[in-house]
Amino acid sequence: MKFYIRRIAFYLVTLWAAISLNFFIPKLMPGNPADIFRENLLRQGGEVTPAMEKTIQLLFGSPDDSLWEQYTRYWSNLFQGNLGISTTKYPTPVTELLSEALPWTLILVGTATVIAFVLGVGLGAWAGWKRGTWVDSLIPGSALMQSIPYFWLALVLVAIFSVNLGWFPIIGGYSAREFRGGPEMSWEFIASATKHAVLPAATIVISSVGGWLIGMRNMMVATLSEDYVTTAEAKGLKPSRVFLTYATRNASLPSLAGFTITLGFVVAGSIVMEQVFSYPGIGKLMITAVTQKDFALMQGVFLVITLTVLAANFLMDIFYGLIDPRARQNV
């Protein structure tokens, strides 16, 4: 119980620090959301009337407010689920933009990450078990796949499967020509979205599976030299039981911890992949926020990423405490 109380207290303090940094860091950057909003409005041919100026102050706060007043108002808005108004998509709330982009990233990057982890760990365990055989020839190929840059691999896949063969679309999350009204719940739309997701997902899987494979293979080789594995073999247990129960289960613990942390970063999306394929996810939204200096949108995206990473790490700590008693004793 002491272990869990300490971990909960640690993550609560970390959460407060992360949210506070998410508020203060944009304040240190040049410019402010109100000025940027006025510039965008004037650039689009609008006019900053006295009534519009009052609206701007209601949206972004008065310039006379102290930093402490802005900080307390920020926390108050957070508890009400109000992350502000996007200046680039005015008057769309940031929460609405996040709720539209998040499912695309979670489904695509989440599914691709799980597939890459299962393939990598499974092949890595097999390569470690069959060490010293022809299976070792998988290692150079895995290292090569891991070293391939995301954008280069994505461009190669587009050139082969989209431009030359015409099997898959080049950009977007679905066919905007067939579904002019936006996403809808129909089998036709799901088929279109799946077809658009094949190449982005393949990019993530091919680039990631090599890292999991090499890491699991090395852990498997180290685990197979442990005394308890030698004892299990000496007792005459079936090779399949030694492989699964004694070797793979223990060797996969570091990979499992790394996978949990990776899941936390799934929400951040794959920025390069989403840019290459113009995929409507969180990564593309973050690029838009940064390039357009949309402070409210930036804070919203960073907040969602921070919360997800902290939640993933917290679950990993709790899980490790359950399966490994040494983790509870060392804290």
Side-chain angles (χ1 to χ4, degrees):
M1 183 58 71
K2 190 176 180 180
F3 165 78
Y4 297 108
I5 294 175
R6 285 189 176 183
R7 301 315 296 166
I8 291 173
F10 169 78
Y11 279 101
L12 285 177
V13 173
T14 306
L15 179 63
W16 167 78
I19 293 178
S20 297
L21 285 174
N22 195 38
F23 168 78
F24 284 110
I25 288 178
K27 299 294 178 186
L28 301 177
M29 298 172 66
N32 64 69
D35 290 340
I36 294 172
F37 179 80
R38 293 188 187 92
E39 291 175 7
N40 289 337
L41 186 65
L42 293 174
R43 194 179 301 123
Q44 294 170 6
E47 185 180 357
V48 182
T49 62
M52 179 57 74
E53 185 62 36
K54 288 184 180 179
T55 303
I56 293 173
Q57 291 187 11
L58 286 174
L59 286 173
F60 305 104
S62 171
D64 299 327
D65 291 345
S66 66
L67 193 60
W68 174 251
E69 289 174 328
Q70 296 177 43
Y71 181 65
T72 54
R73 185 166 59 243
Y74 175 71
W75 274 98
S76 174
N77 289 335
L78 276 185
F79 284 119
Q80 298 174 36
N82 180 12
L83 298 180
I85 304 294
S86 169
T87 55
T88 54
K89 305 284 185 182
Y90 181 82
T92 309
V94 170
T95 50
E96 185 177 330
L97 294 175
L98 291 174
S99 63
E100 290 175 356
L102 199 55
W104 293 99
T105 294
L106 286 178
I107 293 174
L108 174 66
V109 185
T111 304
T113 302
V114 171
I115 293 174
F117 174 76
V118 172
L119 278 178
V121 169
L123 291 174
W126 182 57
W129 182 254
K130 296 289 185 181
R131 64 192 184 284
T133 65
W134 66 270
V135 181
D136 286 344
S137 60
L138 291 176
I139 306 306
S142 303
L144 177 64
M145 285 192 294
Q146 188 185 10
S147 63
I148 295 176
Y150 261 115
F151 71 94
W152 188 83
L153 179 61
L155 292 176
V156 169
L157 292 179
V158 167
I160 296 175
F161 295 102
S162 296
V163 177
N164 291 330
L165 299 177
W167 290 356
F168 301 104
I170 297 177
I171 60 172
Y174 58 95
S175 174
R177 184 178 301 172
E178 296 179 15
F179 304 95
R180 297 180 184 276
E184 60 182 49
M185 286 302 296
S186 65
W187 289 113
E188 291 79 9
F189 178 80
I190 293 174
S192 176
T194 303
K195 195 173 181 180
H196 281 73
V198 169
L199 289 186
T203 303
I204 297 173
V205 171
I206 294 173
S207 299
S208 307
V209 71
W212 295 117
L213 191 155
I214 294 173
M216 183 63 189
R217 191 259 182 195
N218 293 338
M219 284 303 303
M220 193 72 175
V221 170
T223 305
L224 288 173
S225 63
E226 295 288 342
D227 292 339
Y228 58 84
V229 176
T230 306
T231 304
E233 291 174 334
K235 288 169 65 178
L237 297 179
K238 290 182 178 178
S240 59
R241 185 178 177 187
V242 176
F243 172 68
L244 292 174
T245 308
Y246 289 85
T248 303
R249 189 177 68 174
N250 291 288
S252 63
L253 287 178
S255 298
L256 193 61
F259 174 66
T260 312
I261 296 174
T262 304
L263 279 182
F265 286 99
V266 162
V267 174
S270 178
I271 297 174
V272 176
M273 181 275 294
E274 291 186 1
Q275 278 296 104
V276 172
F277 291 99
S278 291
Y279 203 76
I282 289 291
K284 189 169 184 294
L285 198 64
M286 184 160 58
I287 292 292
T288 302
V290 173
T291 54
Q292 299 295 324
K293 294 182 179 179
D294 191 337
F295 289 92
L297 188 55
M298 268 193 282
Q299 285 179 312
V301 172
F302 293 151
L303 179 65
V304 170
I305 295 172
T306 301
L307 293 178
T308 311
V309 172
L310 285 177
N313 279 275
F314 175 70
L315 292 177
M316 184 200 69
D317 273 358
I318 298 299
F319 179 69
Y320 241 75
L322 290 174
I323 64 174
D324 190 352
R326 294 172 297 180
R328 297 196 297 269
Q329 295 171 0
N330 294 333
V331 177

